[in-house]
Amino acid sequence: MTETLERPLTTGTVELRTDRGWLPVCDSAWLIPGRGVAVLLPDGGQAALFLDRAGRPYAIGNRDPFTGAYVLSRGLTGSADGRPYVASPLLKQRFDLATGACLDDAAVSVPVYETRLAAEATEAAAA
C-alpha cells in the first residue's frame, strides 16, 4: 500500500536569524510536519527545526537543558492550549516551540530562533 503525505503549500528556503543575519538552513520541501531536524549553526551550536502542518517553521535550541544531550530535534511534537511544543525524547519535558519555555518547569527554557521562508520574505519586500 502506498501512502501519500500532505505537503505544505508554502515552499522556499527556511532561514534562521543568527547574530550574523539570516542563515539559509534547508528547503522547506525536505521538512515533514511533526518531525524535527538538527541544524549546525556557524558558532558551533545546534538548533532543532520543525515545520507544523500549516507550513510554519519553528526553531529552538537542540540541547535538552535537563540532560545536556542534543536531542530535542528527535522529540515528539504536539500542542497544549493551542501552542505547539516538542517533548524531549529522554525525560519527556515539553518545550513551547514559539517561546522556548518549558511547559513542565517554569524556571527552564531553551533558546528560540526567529525563522522565515525566504520566498515569503522576498514577496513581502516586493509588495
Side-chain angles (χ1 to χ4, degrees), residues 60-74:
I60 61 172
N62 195 31
R63 184 178 175 275
D64 180 340
F66 291 94
T67 65
Y70 291 85
V71 295
L72 292 181
S73 62
R74 298 183 198 161

Side-chain angles (χ1 to χ4, degrees), residues 29-42:
W30 289 98
L31 299 175
I32 298 172
R35 309 266 324 243
V37 296
V39 175
L40 184 60
L41 302 173

Side-chain angles (χ1 to χ4, degrees), residues 3-59:
E3 184 177 329
T4 303
L5 296 175
E6 287 187 34
R7 303 305 294 199
L9 298 176
T10 307
T11 60
T13 301
V14 178
E15 297 181 336
L16 306 183
R17 185 187 295 272
T18 68
D19 57 354
R20 299 178 184 179
W22 288 102
L23 174 70
V25 292
C26 74
D27 189 296
S28 65
W30 289 98
L31 299 175
I32 298 172
R35 309 266 324 243
V37 296
V39 175
L40 184 60
L41 302 173
D43 66 2
Q46 293 183 24
L49 181 62
F50 299 91
L51 192 70
D52 70 11
R53 295 193 189 284
R56 288 182 299 260
Y58 295 91

Side-chain angles (χ1 to χ4, degrees), residues 44-118:
Q46 293 183 24
L49 181 62
F50 299 91
L51 192 70
D52 70 11
R53 295 193 189 284
R56 288 182 299 260
Y58 295 91
I60 61 172
N62 195 31
R63 184 178 175 275
D64 180 340
F66 291 94
T67 65
Y70 291 85
V71 295
L72 292 181
S73 62
R74 298 183 198 161
L76 300 173
T77 59
S79 64
D81 298 323
R83 306 285 303 178
Y85 70 79
V86 63
S88 171
L90 299 178
L91 300 177
K92 308 302 185 239
Q93 285 88 0
R94 299 168 301 153
F95 297 92
D96 187 305
L97 291 176
T99 66
C102 180
L103 303 178
D104 304 300
D105 185 339
V108 179
S109 65
V110 294
V112 174
Y113 298 91
E114 185 179 352
T115 61
R116 71 178 183 186
L117 289 173

